Amino acid sequence: KRKIFLEIYSAINENMKIIYRELSGGGEASLEMSEESDPLNSEIYIRARPKGKSYSKLEALSGGEKSLTALAFIMAVQRINPSPIYYLDEVDMFLDGSNAERVGKQFKINSGTSQVFAVSLRKAMLKYADHVIGVTSFDGENTEVFEKSVSESGNMEVEN
Amino acid sequence: KRKIFLEIYSAINENMKIIYRELSGGGEASLEMSEESDPLNSEIYIRARPKGKSYSKLEALSGGEKSLTALAFIMAVQRINPSPIYYLDEVDMFLDGSNAERVGKQFKINSGTSQVFAVSLRKAMLKYADHVIGVTSFDGENTEVFEKSVSESGNMEVEN
Amino acid sequence: MFLESLELHNFKSFGNRKKVVFKKGFTVISGPNGSGKSNIGDSLLFVLGIRSSKAVRAERLGDLIHKTSDEKRNRDYCSVSVTIDTEDQEKLPEERKITLKRELVAEMDGYKSNYYLNGIKVRHSDVAELLDSLHIYLDSYSFVLQGDINNIVKMTGFERRKLLESIS
Amino acid sequence: MFLESLELHNFKSFGNRKKVVFKKGFTVISGPNGSGKSNIGDSLLFVLGIRSSKAVRAERLGDLIHKTSDEKRNRDYCSVSVTIDTEDQEKLPEERKITLKRELVAEMDGYKSNYYLNGIKVRHSDVAELLDSLHIYLDSYSFVLQGDINNIVKMTGFERRKLLESIS
Ligand SMILES: Nc1ncnc2c1ncn2[C@@H]1O[C@H](COP(=O)(O)OP(=O)(O)OP(=O)(O)O)[C@@H](O)[C@H]1O
Ligand SMILES: Nc1ncnc2c1ncn2[C@@H]1O[C@H](COP(=O)(O)OP(=O)(O)OP(=O)(O)O)[C@@H](O)[C@H]1O
Ligand SMILES: [Mg+2]
Ligand SMILES: [Mg+2]
């Protein structure tokens, strides 16, 4: 049990380093155990160093920096048990333009091996999409769904 | 004590009706007590009816609908003790374009009698701003602040 | 494998029958607040056999059935079906596709779920076996619902360890 | 009344001295993630006398002092001052402006706050009186911090009643 736990821990840690570097455009992130000697009773922290800054605990980062780090952690866990389908609902909500773009790019890369669905209101995501599903409601009570071509989605009411 | 509580309750309720109608473009919202007969021990719920939909409890609404209703509640409370300054940090984050615009318009109206500061990444807010303060960091450790003219801010990296 | 289409019948904000066609690759679902985007995610979790109603933002399973302001039109039934293309080269083309359906029917004291695989009634455990064979896990992070990011950020060091233990 | 300017000295991500000029009306503060937008809000709450370090996202008051990777340059001091134009018609023009300053200085076992009104050292209670006279309340919803909206949505009916009681 302990052996498997340590394997999972170091696999997530490795994945996190790679993914966070991509998502943050050059920062570093890693997991940390409060008691290296007793992993099954220790607490697990996330430390991140946004590009050009010094290391800090997740709590001391800004709102957007925290959510980017959390997303890197989720994607690191996803790589442990790869799935044929992914569904991500407005995970880009706290991110500024350039962070949202890098996340969109990563989803596009992942969609080479899996089917990826992302709910998003932002142009930065639409830019990388292969397909767009528009959702609306004319009478407030019924949802209507229609296929939009990606080029057309530029003029969707999506953002601002 | 009971008398004052009921006055505050009905003042917030009245304010909420007016503000939610503005923010949602025609919906209705109100407060509700679990025990009308014993206000000081009752729970207080928020019910909202987005435009064209039927009434539902806050929990049953969508992410964006919930945050718009919460914002209407906050603004209804603000009207009880009007303040000369307001500071609102990314309160438009869950909102789609047209809801964010309506919130921006409301901030502009409030800025007639108070000084309003809103932290936002969205163009829908910038559109109504009198002044824009740009914040950035060149070396990652120091924040630099500069004044931007509103017309110029259109090309800020703000959104997407 | 990939999801080929979804058919929603009276599920949440989807009145009547609606068919949504999916494609491989990267799909973005977009639209105004409250239009039904997250309901699509809920319908996927529902048809793939999720048991807890909380996970699909409903207090009771009955809340998943489409309700309108016109009481007379409200029914006591809803269903979601998903067509999966397994892309299994060892099977004949017409055998590669699987249609999984879940319906909710009214009973004396609540609602009961029925599952169908290619039209044949099956048990929940058969659905779980199918998902296992396709490597679809509902409790891992392949489904990140709206607001989950916030919960991860607020997670304590202790909860994070519990999470890693559950993956091991 | 309105806030005319803010001067930050070694506060959070503001190294050295930075002056920010404010104007009346509606101001939007914008910029990339982690650039220091919310730190401006924290500096306002700090100078207006907020006591709890948690309210300005710091574990201890000492965490508010600007730290860089170059240990030698880190100082043990920070301050924020705000110039308020009271627009009080009954006063002479040069008496309408008030400058409020709060500094953090290192002591034996932690940090101590000192407050100054127009350069004269005052107590926290004098600052509280000034804010009262200007109708600035730190604990009402005139300051809505990042993430507060989420907390309001998750509030229970019981907590909402407690909130209304505290306003009464
Ligand atoms: N004492 C300190 N010394 C130096 N830097 C600090 C200090 N305290 C906080 N910071 C830094 O300030 C940055 C956060 O700034 P802030 O929270 O204001 O960002 P923001 O512009 O609001 O971003 P977001 O859009 O993500 O909310 C963090 O990167 C953090 O490391
Ligand atoms: N059983 C039901 N019958 C009818 N409508 C329902 C039912 N359950 C939920 N709804 C409606 O569905 C709407 C929510 O849809 P959903 O959460 O998918 O929105 P969304 O597009 O994700 O919006 P957002 O961008 O705000 O997250 C709500 O307005 C809710 O009232
Ligand atoms: Mg949603
Ligand atoms: Mg912030």
Side-chain angles (χ1 to χ4, degrees), chain C residues 114-132:
Chain C
N114 292 327
Y115 294 91
Y116 301 85
L117 262 177
N118 293 331
I120 302 162
K121 198 165 172 180
V122 293
R123 286 192 312 270
H124 182 270
S125 52
D126 301 319
V127 174
E129 228 175 86
L130 170 72
L131 295 188
D132 252 12

mmCIF file with all atom_site columns, all heavy atoms in Angstrom, chain C residues 114-132:
data_model
loop_
_atom_site.group_PDB
_atom_site.id
_atom_site.type_symbol
_atom_site.label_atom_id
_atom_site.label_alt_id
_atom_site.label_comp_id
_atom_site.label_asym_id
_atom_site.label_entity_id
_atom_site.label_seq_id
_atom_site.pdbx_PDB_ins_code
_atom_site.Cartn_x
_atom_site.Cartn_y
_atom_site.Cartn_z
_atom_site.occupancy
_atom_site.B_iso_or_equiv
_atom_site.pdbx_formal_charge
_atom_site.auth_seq_id
_atom_site.auth_comp_id
_atom_site.auth_asym_id
_atom_site.auth_atom_id
_atom_site.pdbx_PDB_model_num
ATOM 1   N N   . ASN C 1 114 ? -34.000 2.709  -14.963 1.00 0.00 ? 114 ASN C N   1
ATOM 2   C CA  . ASN C 1 114 ? -33.833 1.504  -15.798 1.00 0.00 ? 114 ASN C CA  1
ATOM 3   C C   . ASN C 1 114 ? -32.717 1.773  -16.794 1.00 0.00 ? 114 ASN C C   1
ATOM 4   O O   . ASN C 1 114 ? -32.654 2.869  -17.364 1.00 0.00 ? 114 ASN C O   1
ATOM 5   C CB  . ASN C 1 114 ? -35.118 1.209  -16.573 1.00 0.00 ? 114 ASN C CB  1
ATOM 6   C CG  . ASN C 1 114 ? -36.233 0.778  -15.638 1.00 0.00 ? 114 ASN C CG  1
ATOM 7   O OD1 . ASN C 1 114 ? -35.969 0.136  -14.611 1.00 0.00 ? 114 ASN C OD1 1
ATOM 8   N ND2 . ASN C 1 114 ? -37.448 1.155  -15.975 1.00 0.00 ? 114 ASN C ND2 1
ATOM 9   N N   . TYR C 1 115 ? -31.867 0.755  -17.004 1.00 0.00 ? 115 TYR C N   1
ATOM 10  C CA  . TYR C 1 115 ? -30.750 0.894  -17.961 1.00 0.00 ? 115 TYR C CA  1
ATOM 11  C C   . TYR C 1 115 ? -30.958 -0.048 -19.137 1.00 0.00 ? 115 TYR C C   1
ATOM 12  O O   . TYR C 1 115 ? -31.432 -1.182 -18.952 1.00 0.00 ? 115 TYR C O   1
ATOM 13  C CB  . TYR C 1 115 ? -29.419 0.559  -17.279 1.00 0.00 ? 115 TYR C CB  1
ATOM 14  C CG  . TYR C 1 115 ? -29.004 1.519  -16.195 1.00 0.00 ? 115 TYR C CG  1
ATOM 15  C CD1 . TYR C 1 115 ? -29.381 1.299  -14.870 1.00 0.00 ? 115 TYR C CD1 1
ATOM 16  C CD2 . TYR C 1 115 ? -28.243 2.654  -16.484 1.00 0.00 ? 115 TYR C CD2 1
ATOM 17  C CE1 . TYR C 1 115 ? -29.015 2.195  -13.864 1.00 0.00 ? 115 TYR C CE1 1
ATOM 18  C CE2 . TYR C 1 115 ? -27.878 3.549  -15.491 1.00 0.00 ? 115 TYR C CE2 1
ATOM 19  C CZ  . TYR C 1 115 ? -28.270 3.305  -14.181 1.00 0.00 ? 115 TYR C CZ  1
ATOM 20  O OH  . TYR C 1 115 ? -27.917 4.184  -13.198 1.00 0.00 ? 115 TYR C OH  1
ATOM 21  N N   . TYR C 1 116 ? -30.612 0.408  -20.345 1.00 0.00 ? 116 TYR C N   1
ATOM 22  C CA  . TYR C 1 116 ? -30.721 -0.432 -21.544 1.00 0.00 ? 116 TYR C CA  1
ATOM 23  C C   . TYR C 1 116 ? -29.429 -0.344 -22.332 1.00 0.00 ? 116 TYR C C   1
ATOM 24  O O   . TYR C 1 116 ? -28.910 0.744  -22.560 1.00 0.00 ? 116 TYR C O   1
ATOM 25  C CB  . TYR C 1 116 ? -31.857 0.058  -22.443 1.00 0.00 ? 116 TYR C CB  1
ATOM 26  C CG  . TYR C 1 116 ? -33.209 0.061  -21.765 1.00 0.00 ? 116 TYR C CG  1
ATOM 27  C CD1 . TYR C 1 116 ? -33.614 1.147  -20.983 1.00 0.00 ? 116 TYR C CD1 1
ATOM 28  C CD2 . TYR C 1 116 ? -34.060 -1.034 -21.879 1.00 0.00 ? 116 TYR C CD2 1
ATOM 29  C CE1 . TYR C 1 116 ? -34.844 1.137  -20.344 1.00 0.00 ? 116 TYR C CE1 1
ATOM 30  C CE2 . TYR C 1 116 ? -35.294 -1.052 -21.230 1.00 0.00 ? 116 TYR C CE2 1
ATOM 31  C CZ  . TYR C 1 116 ? -35.679 0.038  -20.474 1.00 0.00 ? 116 TYR C CZ  1
ATOM 32  O OH  . TYR C 1 116 ? -36.886 0.036  -19.830 1.00 0.00 ? 116 TYR C OH  1
ATOM 33  N N   . LEU C 1 117 ? -28.913 -1.531 -22.747 1.00 0.00 ? 117 LEU C N   1
ATOM 34  C CA  . LEU C 1 117 ? -27.745 -1.566 -23.633 1.00 0.00 ? 117 LEU C CA  1
ATOM 35  C C   . LEU C 1 117 ? -28.221 -2.088 -24.978 1.00 0.00 ? 117 LEU C C   1
ATOM 36  O O   . LEU C 1 117 ? -28.714 -3.200 -25.059 1.00 0.00 ? 117 LEU C O   1
ATOM 37  C CB  . LEU C 1 117 ? -26.699 -2.528 -23.057 1.00 0.00 ? 117 LEU C CB  1
ATOM 38  C CG  . LEU C 1 117 ? -25.571 -1.893 -22.267 1.00 0.00 ? 117 LEU C CG  1
ATOM 39  C CD1 . LEU C 1 117 ? -24.652 -2.949 -21.683 1.00 0.00 ? 117 LEU C CD1 1
ATOM 40  C CD2 . LEU C 1 117 ? -24.762 -0.947 -23.143 1.00 0.00 ? 117 LEU C CD2 1
ATOM 41  N N   . ASN C 1 118 ? -28.097 -1.283 -26.012 1.00 0.00 ? 118 ASN C N   1
ATOM 42  C CA  . ASN C 1 118 ? -28.617 -1.645 -27.354 1.00 0.00 ? 118 ASN C CA  1
ATOM 43  C C   . ASN C 1 118 ? -30.038 -2.164 -27.272 1.00 0.00 ? 118 ASN C C   1
ATOM 44  O O   . ASN C 1 118 ? -30.389 -3.181 -27.881 1.00 0.00 ? 118 ASN C O   1
ATOM 45  C CB  . ASN C 1 118 ? -27.699 -2.666 -28.009 1.00 0.00 ? 118 ASN C CB  1
ATOM 46  C CG  . ASN C 1 118 ? -26.357 -2.051 -28.321 1.00 0.00 ? 118 ASN C CG  1
ATOM 47  O OD1 . ASN C 1 118 ? -26.271 -0.841 -28.553 1.00 0.00 ? 118 ASN C OD1 1
ATOM 48  N ND2 . ASN C 1 118 ? -25.314 -2.857 -28.291 1.00 0.00 ? 118 ASN C ND2 1
ATOM 49  N N   . GLY C 1 119 ? -30.876 -1.529 -26.440 1.00 0.00 ? 119 GLY C N   1
ATOM 50  C CA  . GLY C 1 119 ? -32.292 -1.871 -26.396 1.00 0.00 ? 119 GLY C CA  1
ATOM 51  C C   . GLY C 1 119 ? -32.634 -2.959 -25.393 1.00 0.00 ? 119 GLY C C   1
ATOM 52  O O   . GLY C 1 119 ? -33.795 -3.199 -25.108 1.00 0.00 ? 119 GLY C O   1
ATOM 53  N N   . ILE C 1 120 ? -31.622 -3.654 -24.827 1.00 0.00 ? 120 ILE C N   1
ATOM 54  C CA  . ILE C 1 120 ? -31.915 -4.754 -23.891 1.00 0.00 ? 120 ILE C CA  1
ATOM 55  C C   . ILE C 1 120 ? -31.742 -4.260 -22.465 1.00 0.00 ? 120 ILE C C   1
ATOM 56  O O   . ILE C 1 120 ? -30.723 -3.671 -22.126 1.00 0.00 ? 120 ILE C O   1
ATOM 57  C CB  . ILE C 1 120 ? -30.968 -5.951 -24.151 1.00 0.00 ? 120 ILE C CB  1
ATOM 58  C CG1 . ILE C 1 120 ? -31.156 -6.405 -25.601 1.00 0.00 ? 120 ILE C CG1 1
ATOM 59  C CG2 . ILE C 1 120 ? -31.194 -7.073 -23.169 1.00 0.00 ? 120 ILE C CG2 1
ATOM 60  C CD1 . ILE C 1 120 ? -30.018 -7.264 -26.103 1.00 0.00 ? 120 ILE C CD1 1
ATOM 61  N N   . LYS C 1 121 ? -32.738 -4.506 -21.629 1.00 0.00 ? 121 LYS C N   1
ATOM 62  C CA  . LYS C 1 121 ? -32.671 -4.056 -20.244 1.00 0.00 ? 121 LYS C CA  1
ATOM 63  C C   . LYS C 1 121 ? -31.520 -4.738 -19.514 1.00 0.00 ? 121 LYS C C   1
ATOM 64  O O   . LYS C 1 121 ? -31.355 -5.957 -19.615 1.00 0.00 ? 121 LYS C O   1
ATOM 65  C CB  . LYS C 1 121 ? -33.992 -4.360 -19.540 1.00 0.00 ? 121 LYS C CB  1
ATOM 66  C CG  . LYS C 1 121 ? -34.186 -3.567 -18.277 1.00 0.00 ? 121 LYS C CG  1
ATOM 67  C CD  . LYS C 1 121 ? -35.637 -3.634 -17.816 1.00 0.00 ? 121 LYS C CD  1
ATOM 68  C CE  . LYS C 1 121 ? -35.781 -2.988 -16.439 1.00 0.00 ? 121 LYS C CE  1
ATOM 69  N NZ  . LYS C 1 121 ? -37.162 -3.041 -15.976 1.00 0.00 ? 121 LYS C NZ  1
ATOM 70  N N   . VAL C 1 122 ? -30.701 -3.947 -18.804 1.00 0.00 ? 122 VAL C N   1
ATOM 71  C CA  . VAL C 1 122 ? -29.587 -4.523 -18.049 1.00 0.00 ? 122 VAL C CA  1
ATOM 72  C C   . VAL C 1 122 ? -29.561 -3.938 -16.651 1.00 0.00 ? 122 VAL C C   1
ATOM 73  O O   . VAL C 1 122 ? -30.328 -3.013 -16.345 1.00 0.00 ? 122 VAL C O   1
ATOM 74  C CB  . VAL C 1 122 ? -28.236 -4.207 -18.731 1.00 0.00 ? 122 VAL C CB  1
ATOM 75  C CG1 . VAL C 1 122 ? -28.096 -4.917 -20.063 1.00 0.00 ? 122 VAL C CG1 1
ATOM 76  C CG2 . VAL C 1 122 ? -28.061 -2.702 -18.907 1.00 0.00 ? 122 VAL C CG2 1
ATOM 77  N N   . ARG C 1 123 ? -28.680 -4.489 -15.834 1.00 0.00 ? 123 ARG C N   1
ATOM 78  C CA  . ARG C 1 123 ? -28.562 -3.952 -14.468 1.00 0.00 ? 123 ARG C CA  1
ATOM 79  C C   . ARG C 1 123 ? -27.470 -2.876 -14.425 1.00 0.00 ? 123 ARG C C   1
ATOM 80  O O   . ARG C 1 123 ? -26.645 -2.775 -15.341 1.00 0.00 ? 123 ARG C O   1
ATOM 81  C CB  . ARG C 1 123 ? -28.188 -5.073 -13.497 1.00 0.00 ? 123 ARG C CB  1
ATOM 82  C CG  . ARG C 1 123 ? -29.323 -6.024 -13.175 1.00 0.00 ? 123 ARG C CG  1
ATOM 83  C CD  . ARG C 1 123 ? -28.943 -6.900 -12.001 1.00 0.00 ? 123 ARG C CD  1
ATOM 84  N NE  . ARG C 1 123 ? -27.607 -7.454 -12.192 1.00 0.00 ? 123 ARG C NE  1
ATOM 85  C CZ  . ARG C 1 123 ? -27.361 -8.625 -12.819 1.00 0.00 ? 123 ARG C CZ  1
ATOM 86  N NH1 . ARG C 1 123 ? -28.384 -9.330 -13.287 1.00 0.00 ? 123 ARG C NH1 1
ATOM 87  N NH2 . ARG C 1 123 ? -26.134 -9.043 -12.991 1.00 0.00 ? 123 ARG C NH2 1
ATOM 88  N N   . HIS C 1 124 ? -27.431 -2.100 -13.322 1.00 0.00 ? 124 HIS C N   1
ATOM 89  C CA  . HIS C 1 124 ? -26.408 -1.058 -13.148 1.00 0.00 ? 124 HIS C CA  1
ATOM 90  C C   . HIS C 1 124 ? -25.017 -1.672 -13.202 1.00 0.00 ? 124 HIS C C   1
ATOM 91  O O   . HIS C 1 124 ? -24.083 -1.105 -13.759 1.00 0.00 ? 124 HIS C O   1
ATOM 92  C CB  . HIS C 1 124 ? -26.617 -0.328 -11.816 1.00 0.00 ? 124 HIS C CB  1
ATOM 93  C CG  . HIS C 1 124 ? -25.638 0.793  -11.597 1.00 0.00 ? 124 HIS C CG  1
ATOM 94  N ND1 . HIS C 1 124 ? -24.417 0.620  -10.974 1.00 0.00 ? 124 HIS C ND1 1
ATOM 95  C CD2 . HIS C 1 124 ? -25.693 2.098  -11.967 1.00 0.00 ? 124 HIS C CD2 1
ATOM 96  C CE1 . HIS C 1 124 ? -23.750 1.755  -10.970 1.00 0.00 ? 124 HIS C CE1 1
ATOM 97  N NE2 . HIS C 1 124 ? -24.489 2.689  -11.559 1.00 0.00 ? 124 HIS C NE2 1
ATOM 98  N N   . SER C 1 125 ? -24.858 -2.881 -12.654 1.00 0.00 ? 125 SER C N   1
ATOM 99  C CA  . SER C 1 125 ? -23.512 -3.496 -12.621 1.00 0.00 ? 125 SER C CA  1
ATOM 100 C C   . SER C 1 125 ? -23.004 -3.805 -14.035 1.00 0.00 ? 125 SER C C   1
ATOM 101 O O   . SER C 1 125 ? -21.807 -3.770 -14.294 1.00 0.00 ? 125 SER C O   1
ATOM 102 C CB  . SER C 1 125 ? -23.543 -4.757 -11.783 1.00 0.00 ? 125 SER C CB  1
ATOM 103 O OG  . SER C 1 125 ? -24.583 -5.585 -12.252 1.00 0.00 ? 125 SER C OG  1
ATOM 104 N N   . ASP C 1 126 ? -23.926 -4.082 -14.952 1.00 0.00 ? 126 ASP C N   1
ATOM 105 C CA  . ASP C 1 126 ? -23.516 -4.340 -16.354 1.00 0.00 ? 126 ASP C CA  1
ATOM 106 C C   . ASP C 1 126 ? -22.974 -3.044 -16.976 1.00 0.00 ? 126 ASP C C   1
ATOM 107 O O   . ASP C 1 126 ? -22.022 -3.059 -17.738 1.00 0.00 ? 126 ASP C O   1
ATOM 108 C CB  . ASP C 1 126 ? -24.691 -4.839 -17.185 1.00 0.00 ? 126 ASP C CB  1
ATOM 109 C CG  . ASP C 1 126 ? -25.277 -6.114 -16.621 1.00 0.00 ? 126 ASP C CG  1
ATOM 110 O OD1 . ASP C 1 126 ? -24.477 -6.993 -16.197 1.00 0.00 ? 126 ASP C OD1 1
ATOM 111 O OD2 . ASP C 1 126 ? -26.514 -6.226 -16.551 1.00 0.00 ? 126 ASP C OD2 1
ATOM 112 N N   . VAL C 1 127 ? -23.623 -1.940 -16.617 1.00 0.00 ? 127 VAL C N   1
ATOM 113 C CA  . VAL C 1 127 ? -23.172 -0.640 -17.130 1.00 0.00 ? 127 VAL C CA  1
ATOM 114 C C   . VAL C 1 127 ? -21.789 -0.346 -16.571 1.00 0.00 ? 127 VAL C C   1
ATOM 115 O O   . VAL C 1 127 ? -20.873 0.088  -17.294 1.00 0.00 ? 127 VAL C O   1
ATOM 116 C CB  . VAL C 1 127 ? -24.170 0.474  -16.737 1.00 0.00 ? 127 VAL C CB  1
ATOM 117 C CG1 . VAL C 1 127 ? -23.640 1.845  -17.122 1.00 0.00 ? 127 VAL C CG1 1
ATOM 118 C CG2 . VAL C 1 127 ? -25.545 0.230  -17.334 1.00 0.00 ? 127 VAL C CG2 1
ATOM 119 N N   . ALA C 1 128 ? -21.615 -0.608 -15.272 1.00 0.00 ? 128 ALA C N   1
ATOM 120 C CA  . ALA C 1 128 ? -20.312 -0.342 -14.632 1.00 0.00 ? 128 ALA C CA  1
ATOM 121 C C   . ALA C 1 128 ? -19.218 -1.168 -15.305 1.00 0.00 ? 128 ALA C C   1
ATOM 122 O O   . ALA C 1 128 ? -18.113 -0.682 -15.539 1.00 0.00 ? 128 ALA C O   1
ATOM 123 C CB  . ALA C 1 128 ? -20.393 -0.653 -13.153 1.00 0.00 ? 128 ALA C CB  1
ATOM 124 N N   . GLU C 1 129 ? -19.541 -2.405 -15.668 1.00 0.00 ? 129 GLU C N   1
ATOM 125 C CA  . GLU C 1 129 ? -18.574 -3.281 -16.344 1.00 0.00 ? 129 GLU C CA  1
ATOM 126 C C   . GLU C 1 129 ? -18.199 -2.734 -17.714 1.00 0.00 ? 129 GLU C C   1
ATOM 127 O O   . GLU C 1 129 ? -17.023 -2.710 -18.097 1.00 0.00 ? 129 GLU C O   1
ATOM 128 C CB  . GLU C 1 129 ? -19.220 -4.664 -16.532 1.00 0.00 ? 129 GLU C CB  1
ATOM 129 C CG  . GLU C 1 129 ? -18.335 -5.821 -16.106 1.00 0.00 ? 129 GLU C CG  1
ATOM 130 C CD  . GLU C 1 129 ? -19.144 -7.110 -16.219 1.00 0.00 ? 129 GLU C CD  1
ATOM 131 O OE1 . GLU C 1 129 ? -19.171 -7.668 -17.332 1.00 0.00 ? 129 GLU C OE1 1
ATOM 132 O OE2 . GLU C 1 129 ? -19.800 -7.498 -15.207 1.00 0.00 ? 129 GLU C OE2 1
ATOM 133 N N   . LEU C 1 130 ? -19.207 -2.261 -18.431 1.00 0.00 ? 130 LEU C N   1
ATOM 134 C CA  . LEU C 1 130 ? -18.958 -1.677 -19.756 1.00 0.00 ? 130 LEU C CA  1
ATOM 135 C C   . LEU C 1 130 ? -18.020 -0.481 -19.627 1.00 0.00 ? 130 LEU C C   1
ATOM 136 O O   . LEU C 1 130 ? -17.047 -0.347 -20.365 1.00 0.00 ? 130 LEU C O   1
ATOM 137 C CB  . LEU C 1 130 ? -20.279 -1.234 -20.403 1.00 0.00 ? 130 LEU C CB  1
ATOM 138 C CG  . LEU C 1 130 ? -20.149 -0.392 -21.676 1.00 0.00 ? 130 LEU C CG  1
ATOM 139 C CD1 . LEU C 1 130 ? -19.669 -1.260 -22.834 1.00 0.00 ? 130 LEU C CD1 1
ATOM 140 C CD2 . LEU C 1 130 ? -21.462 0.300  -22.030 1.00 0.00 ? 130 LEU C CD2 1
ATOM 141 N N   . LEU C 1 131 ? -18.293 0.396  -18.671 1.00 0.00 ? 131 LEU C N   1
ATOM 142 C CA  . LEU C 1 131 ? -17.461 1.603  -18.501 1.00 0.00 ? 131 LEU C CA  1
ATOM 143 C C   . LEU C 1 131 ? -16.032 1.205  -18.163 1.00 0.00 ? 131 LEU C C   1
ATOM 144 O O   . LEU C 1 131 ? -15.073 1.778  -18.680 1.00 0.00 ? 131 LEU C O   1
ATOM 145 C CB  . LEU C 1 131 ? -18.022 2.498  -17.399 1.00 0.00 ? 131 LEU C CB  1
ATOM 146 C CG  . LEU C 1 131 ? -19.397 3.125  -17.638 1.00 0.00 ? 131 LEU C CG  1
ATOM 147 C CD1 . LEU C 1 131 ? -19.709 4.135  -16.540 1.00 0.00 ? 131 LEU C CD1 1
ATOM 148 C CD2 . LEU C 1 131 ? -19.461 3.831  -18.991 1.00 0.00 ? 131 LEU C CD2 1
ATOM 149 N N   . ASP C 1 132 ? -15.879 0.217  -17.285 1.00 0.00 ? 132 ASP C N   1
ATOM 150 C CA  . ASP C 1 132 ? -14.549 -0.268 -16.945 1.00 0.00 ? 132 ASP C CA  1
ATOM 151 C C   . ASP C 1 132 ? -13.804 -0.721 -18.187 1.00 0.00 ? 132 ASP C C   1
ATOM 152 O O   . ASP C 1 132 ? -12.635 -0.390 -18.376 1.00 0.00 ? 132 ASP C O   1
ATOM 153 C CB  . ASP C 1 132 ? -14.669 -1.473 -15.990 1.00 0.00 ? 132 ASP C CB  1
ATOM 154 C CG  . ASP C 1 132 ? -14.219 -1.065 -14.572 1.00 0.00 ? 132 ASP C CG  1
ATOM 155 O OD1 . ASP C 1 132 ? -14.071 0.160  -14.353 1.00 0.00 ? 132 ASP C OD1 1
ATOM 156 O OD2 . ASP C 1 132 ? -13.989 -1.968 -13.758 1.00 0.00 ? 132 ASP C OD2 1
#
